[in-house]
């Protein structure tokens, strides 16, 4: 047998063991995403799963971990270097420029859902093919939009029933003020390098800000004492960061400021944020994002301020599982037709079809199969009601309806408007 590639997942119709992703949960999560995106008036964009490598090298920065170590890059038959997208923002920006979306409206609010690919060491919550939902607001430099992007995810996660969430924010400055801070960090770390891990030493020369991100135990106290960026921010970055904090305070969204929050990607400016879940261990960061005022210009467009974020759908589902909130999303079958008479299967099937045409989720047992066995299947698919066709009552124009949770039975006439009666029973 040829097995799936390490770090990828099948999403199956049902769970067949621990750590399996179930398609119904994905559909429900996607429906919740689409609903909240619509409420915030973000429109969907779908871009290709692979792009020219150059797009990511330029867009993410060639000193980032993603570009240096994690991209799935290959040469195609025409000798061009292509890369499976490791994230969504660079492609959205490319598409915005290529299709001149920014000329059609000043502010474009977009969202996407789709698979991303990174050659990382697989573990729970970290995969080589994973899925992200991202939102991007392009064309506005208002700090209110920074907060809007945070709120979409915050409200989505809360509406799904999650509570163990922390919103962490910081400012990473901009091209004007960040170099001063980088110099300050470099001089702070210069006499401590022998006490820091090899990753930190490596980052010291090529991306000193990223040292703050190190998770190695032995580096923590030195990193905690590193000077914060706050004092180095220019007027524009500092007033924007103040406005973000004031707005979050006003909206009563709890958050913490962490001087150690730096995003891995070069194009971030000003606000950076993460939403962390405290119940899923090492891979607890569900969402990350921030402002990237420099990217559109770096990718070949006009200067255009922008802010965006993405969350990992696998990690979100793992967090929901850890909190036991999955049930809230679950809707089983509305009506399970128990077809008692083998010779009248087609009649039951016609009835089943009427239920489906009326918009109900309906399923039918094998006509004539033992009653107990059909009811067992009904319970397995989590049906709310069993409807009996083909028996004595059915012959007299009566439908027997059994509430499977309450184990109560009642009869309704199939001559009247029984579909409305059934709908009312579901609402009750
Ligand atoms: P990033 O694009 O690195 O800011 O990641 C945003 C979110 O995507 C993270 O917070 C994770 O939830 C998710 N994510 C990133 N990399 C992976 C991965 N290798 N496997 C699963 N989820 C990931």
């Amino acid at each position: 047998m040829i097995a799936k590639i390490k770090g990828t997942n099948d999403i199956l119709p049902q769970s067949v063991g621990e750590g399996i992703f179930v398609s119904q949960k994905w559909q429900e999560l996607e429906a919740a995403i689409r609903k909240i995106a619509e409420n915030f008036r973000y429109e969907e964009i779908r871009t290709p799963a692979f792009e020219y490598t150059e797009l990511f090298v330029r867009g993410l920065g060639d000193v980032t971990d993603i570009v240096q170590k994690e991209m799935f890059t290959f040469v195609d038959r025409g000798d061009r270097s292509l890369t499976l997208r490791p994230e969504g923002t660079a492609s959205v920006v490319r598409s915005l420029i290529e299709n001149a979306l920014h000329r059609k409206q000043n502010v474009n609010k977009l969202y996407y859902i789709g698979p991303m690919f990174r050659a990382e060491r697989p573990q729970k919550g970290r995969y080589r093919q994973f899925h992200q939902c991202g939102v991007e607001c392009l064309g506005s430099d208002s700090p209110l939009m920074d907060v809007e992007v945070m709120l979409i995810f915050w409200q989505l996660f809360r509406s799904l029933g999650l509570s163990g969430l922390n919103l962490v924010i910081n400012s990473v400055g901009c091209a004007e003020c960040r170099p001063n801070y980088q110099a300050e960090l470099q001089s702070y770390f210069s006499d401590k390098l022998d006490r820091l891990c090899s990753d930190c030493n490596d980052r010291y020369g090529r991306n000193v800000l990223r040292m703050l991100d190190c998770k190695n135990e032995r580096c923590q106290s030195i990193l905690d004492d590193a000077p914060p960026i706050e004092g180095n921010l220019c007027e524009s970055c500092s007033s924007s960061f103040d406005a973000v904090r004031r707005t979050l305070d006003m909206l009563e969204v709890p958050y913490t400021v962490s001087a150690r929050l730096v995003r891995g990607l070069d194009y971030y400016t000003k606000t950076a944020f993460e939403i962390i879940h405290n119940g899923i261990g090492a891979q607890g960061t569900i969402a990350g994002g921030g402002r990237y005022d420099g990217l559109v210009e770096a990718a070949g467009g006009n200067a255009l301020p922008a802010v965006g974020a993405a969350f990992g759908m696998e990690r979100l589902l793992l967090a929901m599982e850890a909190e036991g909130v999955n049930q809230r999303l679950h809707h089983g079958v509305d009506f399970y037709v128990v077809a008692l008479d083998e010779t009248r299967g087609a009649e039951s099937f016609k009835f089943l079809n009427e239920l489906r045409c009326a918009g109900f989720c309906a399923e039918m047992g094998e006509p004539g199969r033992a009653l107990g066995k059909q009811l067992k299947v009904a319970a397995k698919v989590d049906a709310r009601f069993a409807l009996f066709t083909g028996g004595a009552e059915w012959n007299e124009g009566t439908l027997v309806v059994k509430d499977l949770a309450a184990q109560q039975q009642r009869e309704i006439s199939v001559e009247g408007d029984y579909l409305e009666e059934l709908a009312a029973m579901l609402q009750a």
Side-chain angles (χ1 to χ4, degrees):
M1 190 205 70
I2 301 171
K4 66 182 163 63
I5 296 171
K6 206 167 113 187
T8 65
N9 290 296
D10 293 317
I11 300 172
L12 300 175
Q14 59 196 291
S15 178
V16 292
E18 220 198 305
I20 296 292
F21 292 105
V22 178
S23 49
Q24 191 193 1
K25 302 242 158 52
W26 284 77
Q27 288 164 11
E28 286 165 350
L29 174 56
E30 283 165 14
I33 292 169
R34 293 187 198 289
K35 179 82 183 66
I36 200 145
E38 203 174 291
N39 289 354
F40 278 77
R41 294 194 34 78
Y42 280 63
E43 295 174 295
E44 189 182 18
I45 182 164
R46 301 188 195 197
T47 61
F50 61 154
E51 302 267 4
Y52 290 118
T53 303
E54 189 58 21
L55 176 71
F56 301 115
V57 175
R58 266 213 263 163
L60 309 190
D62 51 9
V63 294
T64 54
D65 285 356
I66 293 186
V67 169
Q68 292 213 328
K69 300 189 264 191
E70 296 169 1
M71 295 205 302
F72 284 106
T73 295
F74 58 97
V75 176
D76 76 355
R77 288 160 201 263
D79 239 11
R80 285 167 295 237
S81 179
L82 309 181
T83 293
L84 298 183
R85 62 178 181 189
E87 57 96 62
T89 305
S91 302
V92 169
V93 166
R94 186 223 14 95
S95 179
L96 175 105
I97 300 169
E98 194 166 344
N99 298 295
L101 298 181
H102 55 301
R103 295 204 208 294
K104 301 197 173 73
Q105 46 192 21
N106 291 340
V107 179
N108 278 275
K109 296 186 174 188
L110 304 167
Y111 78 95
Y112 58 83
I113 297 175
M116 307 293 160
F117 307 85
R118 292 185 197 173
E120 294 192 85
R121 200 161 45 79
Q123 54 178 274
K124 191 174 180 190
R126 192 201 279 160
Y127 311 102
R128 292 189 169 170
Q129 174 174 336
F130 59 99
H131 297 76
Q132 280 187 342
C133 162
V135 294
E136 316 286 357
C137 170
L138 301 119
S140 167
D141 62 2
S142 165
L144 293 180
M145 292 303 106
D146 301 27
V147 176
E148 180 170 281
V149 163
M150 296 176 198
L151 281 181
I152 299 178
F153 287 174
W154 187 257
Q155 287 185 12
L156 173 69
F157 300 168
R158 298 296 306 241
S159 76
L160 293 170
L162 284 179
S163 55
L165 299 168
N166 293 312
L167 171 64
V168 184
I169 64 170
N170 192 21
S171 174
V172 295
C174 65
E176 192 184 312
C177 56
R178 193 159 44 210
N180 289 341
Y181 180 54
Q182 282 165 325
E184 189 176 339
L185 280 181
Q186 247 155 355
S187 86
Y188 167 78
F189 286 127
S190 62
D191 58 354
K192 303 176 180 68
L193 290 173
D194 53 340
R195 285 183 280 146
L196 292 165
C197 72
S198 60
D199 267 353
C200 279
N201 274 274
D202 184 33
R203 286 171 177 167
Y204 179 75
R206 60 182 174 95
N207 194 350
V208 67
L209 217 62
R210 287 274 287 137
M211 289 174 76
L212 300 174
D213 218 15
C214 177
K215 303 284 184 294
N216 197 318
E217 205 49 56
R218 72 176 229 236
C219 307
Q220 296 310 305
S221 63
I222 295 178
L223 299 175
D224 281 339
D225 289 343
I229 196 169
E230 192 111 40
N232 287 283
L233 293 178
C234 62
E235 166 53 27
S236 156
C237 288
S238 136
S239 69
S240 166
F241 194 45
D242 284 347
V244 168
R245 280 187 292 194
R246 267 200 319 276
T247 312
L248 286 171
D249 289 339
M250 207 178 75
L251 291 164
E252 295 177 28
V253 176
Y255 65 90
T256 48
V257 177
S258 165
R260 291 211 20 209
L261 173 66
V262 286
R263 307 281 302 137
L265 314 180
D266 266 4
Y267 54 67
Y268 284 98
T269 54
K270 297 185 171 166
T271 313
F273 77 93
E274 286 184 349
I275 300 178
I276 299 168
H277 188 266
N278 55 25
I280 51 174
Q283 307 304 321
T285 306
I286 304 184
R291 185 158 276 288
Y292 53 92
D293 290 345
L295 180 60
V296 180
E297 198 172 7
N302 298 333
L304 196 72
V307 57
F311 74 88
M313 294 169 69
E314 285 85 355
R315 284 199 201 165
L316 180 69
L317 289 167
L318 288 172
M320 290 171 67
E321 196 174 282
E323 277 196 32
V325 295
N326 279 355
Q327 298 82 332
R328 291 178 56 139
L329 276 178
H330 185 72
H331 313 287
V333 169
D334 297 326
F335 298 110
Y336 193 87
V337 177
V338 177
L340 298 171
D341 188 344
E342 188 184 349
T343 63
R344 293 165 68 194
E347 200 182 308
S348 297
F349 187 67
K350 179 167 181 264
F351 175 65
L352 171 72
N353 195 44
E354 278 169 23
L355 296 171
R356 287 175 171 167
C357 288
F360 299 122
C361 173
E363 187 53 283
M364 185 172 97
E366 191 185 319
R369 196 175 183 209
L371 172 73
K373 290 209 169 128
Q374 292 197 50
L375 284 174
K376 248 196 197 152
V377 182
K380 201 168 159 199
V381 297
D382 212 6
R384 289 218 25 216
F385 296 95
L387 308 180
F388 298 86
T389 60
E393 293 89 348
W394 177 256
N395 293 341
E396 285 159 20
T398 301
L399 178 66
V400 178
V401 181
K402 184 170 186 181
D403 182 328
L404 292 172
Q407 289 290 310
Q408 277 168 357
Q409 220 160 279
R410 60 187 276 198
E411 296 181 356
I412 61 174
S413 164
V414 274
E415 257 105 67
D417 196 350
Y418 69 92
L419 289 171
E420 244 173 53
E421 262 186 83
L422 291 177
M425 285 162 77
L426 274 182
Q427 297 299 323

